[in-house]
Amino acid sequence: MFAKAHLAAWLHTQGLTAEFSYPEPLGSAVLVQLEDGRILLVHLDRNRPVSWDDDFWEVILGPGVRIAPGVLEQRGYVQRIRFEDRPGGGRVMRLGTEHPGVGTTWDGLEDVELTSRGLNTSARPDAVRAPMVTGLRRSESEGRSIVSVAPSRSRAASTVRQDDPVKRALMHLDRAMRDQPDRLYSAVRTIQQLLEAEKVPENIGRLRLALGRGQTQLEERARQRQAVLARLQEQPTFFLLTEATRLMRDLDVTAEEREVVRVARVRHDQEQAALRREQEERRAAQREMERREQTEQRRERNEAARRERVERALAAQREQEEAAERQAQRERAEKLGYLAPFVMGALKKAAREERVTTWREIGDKTGQCELSRLTHQDKLTLLETAENKTLPGSPLWSAVLAATGSDDALRLHRDLLHRLQRSAPADDADLLAQITAECVQLRRQW
């Protein structure tokens, strides 16, 4: 009913009316019989074979309906319908024309015209009905067609007596004009030959009338062929080559027209080959660019990974060095802490004996020989550790080391005073006088 409503509205816009019927099983098809006797079959059942019987002036396939192999190539086209949702609600029906190797071109019903020759669509602007499919009828054992209709005028014509050459020629001409245009030329030639030998006035009149109709359609088909060939010479396209190939089946085609088609096909093949080469070159360039990008990305990733490995190695090395430094500092602090009592004992003994001493002497007397090998910084740290219990204002026991008056001894004592936040004269003579005074105080303590 949905398909019938749209078809009826479409025919109405063209001033046409039709009778609609629905063969069994319901929903499998819609038959549209026009006032002039033509019958359109809208085949909707996807599970039943399509009837290509020539009783149907045109067959239109519903959504998803498949056709047997070879049908599309033999007919040159197939008409289809589909339904689409309309913005805002509702559905619309569209009609499409499928060509071999091209696919289906869809039009709105308002862009499709039903003429006496065929369904004019954007893909077939000068449409004529396709020839009847031959050699594809199913036998009773293979399955029956989805519809059956009452015999039409074309079927009645098949009952004409086969021994009447005039009637047979007229029947062949009608069929050629209706759906076998490639046989139109031979049908016209047959009528011309019959006219040369015919003696019956009634037959002569019928033949002349039929000849006029046939020649008019031959001229129209020739004009159509010339129009297609003219467009083909300007720009050979697949669609025009397909149309020209179909028209070349006509028996009145000249050698010049066939040459036009041959040249156009060669040009089309060359253009397509050039286009394919260009596309392949573009694809090759694209692939090369992608390959270079991938190579550059891999190089960048490898370089980033290398830098990361180097950074990790440097970080690990720094961490090891820092750990080693911390360990060395701990070991040095432990060693200096161990030596501090020996130094303090030696300093006190020297002060008690009212004499000065040196690092070498302390090392020799305490058995700690490494004292003479300590750096300036280690000596400063060791003396600071040894003097940590000396009360503020009290003389430093290390004065007995500085009292030697050597430059190294004076510098070490001045640094120690700064470390212990005690005042230290800037002049070495004043500093030495302060050291001598402290040594006197140390002797008095005993």
Side-chain angles (χ1 to χ4, degrees):
M1 296 302 294
F2 191 81
K4 180 257 184 185
H6 282 273
L7 291 171
W10 169 58
L11 293 172
H12 180 73
T13 60
Q14 302 183 65
L16 302 174
T17 59
E19 293 182 1
F20 293 82
S21 58
Y22 311 97
E24 293 292 335
L26 289 177
S28 62
V30 177
L31 287 179
V32 185
Q33 185 167 1
L34 303 175
E35 292 179 325
D36 57 6
R38 290 180 292 173
I39 298 176
L40 281 68
L41 168 64
V42 182
H43 185 107
L44 301 173
D45 195 332
R46 302 179 184 179
N47 300 318
R48 290 174 175 264
V50 181
S51 174
W52 299 104
D53 195 291
D54 61 343
D55 288 338
F56 305 121
W57 185 77
E58 185 60 274
V59 177
I60 304 174
L61 305 182
V65 175
R66 298 183 180 181
I67 57 177
V71 171
L72 185 59
E73 287 73 18
Q74 184 172 346
R75 287 175 57 86
Y77 74 94
V78 168
Q79 303 287 15
R80 294 182 176 275
I81 60 171
R82 71 179 183 188
F83 303 99
E84 297 179 352
D85 293 332
R86 179 188 303 162
R91 304 186 75 191
V92 296
M93 187 169 75
R94 294 171 63 84
L95 191 141
T97 303
E98 180 181 0
H99 286 97
V102 177
T104 304
T105 302
W106 294 96
D107 298 297
L109 290 179
E110 66 275 10
D111 299 323
V112 180
E113 181 183 7
L114 176 62
T115 69
S116 60
R117 292 168 55 82
L119 287 172
N120 288 358
T121 64
S122 61
R124 303 181 72 247
D126 300 315
V128 295
R129 182 187 168 199
M132 178 186 68
V133 177
T134 59
L136 293 174
R137 295 178 181 270
R138 293 178 176 266
S139 65
E140 288 297 326
S141 61
E142 294 175 315
R144 302 179 59 187
S145 170
I146 65 169
V147 296
S148 61
V149 298
S152 64
R153 288 175 295 177
S154 61
R155 180 169 294 180
S158 63
T159 62
V160 175
R161 291 169 51 194
Q162 300 301 312
D163 59 350
D164 189 335
V166 173
K167 289 185 178 180
R168 190 165 59 249
L170 295 178
M171 180 186 68
H172 291 165
L173 179 64
D174 287 341
R175 178 170 296 178
M177 292 180 65
R178 187 176 66 247
D179 54 17
Q180 296 178 340
D182 54 323
R183 299 183 182 181
L184 182 60
Y185 179 78
S186 62
V188 170
R189 289 291 300 157
T190 299
I191 290 178
Q192 289 175 335
Q193 293 171 0
L194 287 175
L195 271 174
E196 294 176 359
E198 184 59 48
K199 304 300 182 182
V200 179
E202 180 182 354
N203 287 345
I204 293 174
R206 294 168 62 194
L207 289 172
R208 285 178 176 174
L209 181 62
L211 180 62
R213 290 189 296 112
Q215 288 177 333
T216 298
Q217 188 160 333
L218 273 179
E219 293 170 358
E220 175 61 26
R221 190 162 178 85
R223 285 192 294 270
Q224 180 184 359
R225 192 164 60 242
Q226 288 301 318
V228 171
L229 294 180
R231 293 168 59 193
L232 194 62
Q233 287 177 304
E234 293 177 1
Q235 180 58 49
T237 64
F238 178 81
F239 170 76
L240 289 174
L241 281 171
T242 301
E243 185 69 10
T245 300
R246 185 179 64 82
L247 294 172
M248 287 301 104
R249 293 199 296 263
D250 293 353
L251 298 181
D252 58 338
V253 173
T254 64
E256 290 78 6
E257 291 174 330
R258 296 187 185 278
E259 180 64 15
V260 169
V261 176
R262 188 194 67 79
V263 171
R265 182 173 288 107
V266 171
R267 177 184 168 189
H268 176 267
D269 293 344
Q270 292 174 345
E271 291 177 353
Q272 292 299 309
L275 179 60
R276 287 192 295 270
R277 286 195 299 272
E278 181 181 352
Q279 292 174 342
E280 181 58 33
E281 289 174 357
R282 285 200 299 267
R283 286 194 292 267
Q286 179 67 23
R287 289 194 296 269
E288 177 62 20
M289 183 175 66
E290 292 175 353
R291 185 191 66 78
R292 291 180 179 178
E293 290 178 353
Q294 292 173 356
T295 301
E296 181 63 20
Q297 291 173 358
R298 284 196 299 270
R299 188 194 68 78
E300 292 177 355
R301 288 195 299 269
N302 293 338
E303 179 62 21
R306 186 194 66 80
R307 288 196 300 268
E308 184 178 356
R309 289 194 300 271
V310 171
E311 291 174 358
R312 286 200 301 267
L314 291 175
Q317 182 179 355
R318 286 193 299 270
E319 185 176 352
Q320 291 175 356
E321 292 175 351
E322 291 172 357
E325 179 64 21
R326 289 192 298 270
Q327 180 64 24
Q329 290 176 357
R330 285 194 298 270
E331 292 176 355
R332 185 166 58 253
E334 291 175 357
K335 180 179 70 174
L336 295 177
Y338 170 77
L339 294 174
F342 292 98
V343 173
M344 179 56 71
L347 293 176
K348 289 181 178 181
K349 182 178 181 181
R352 185 172 57 248
E353 295 175 353
E354 299 182 358
R355 61 179 175 81
V356 298
T357 188
T358 64
W359 288 98
R360 180 178 295 278
E361 181 182 358
I362 295 174
D364 292 342
K365 290 184 176 183
T366 60
Q368 305 300 321
C369 300
E370 64 267 25
L371 286 172
S372 61
R373 297 192 296 270
L374 294 178
T375 64
H376 176 85
Q377 189 66 31
D378 287 345
K379 291 177 181 179
L380 180 62
T381 302
L382 191 152
L383 291 176
E384 181 184 6
T385 302
E387 298 284 3
N388 61 358
K389 293 183 180 181
T390 303
L391 297 176
S394 297
L396 298 176
W397 297 102
S398 56
V400 296
L401 274 172
T404 59
S406 67
D407 292 339
D408 290 342
L410 292 176
R411 183 166 65 88
L412 179 61
H413 195 71
R414 180 179 280 110
D415 290 344
L416 177 61
L417 292 174
H418 290 160
R419 180 75 66 87
L420 297 176
Q421 298 182 353
R422 294 193 180 200
S423 61
D427 185 70
D428 285 350
D430 294 339
L431 178 61
L432 185 58
Q434 177 179 313
I435 294 170
T436 302
E438 288 184 356
C439 288
V440 172
Q441 293 179 14
L442 289 173
R443 295 188 192 104
R444 293 174 180 174
Q445 292 179 4
W446 294 101

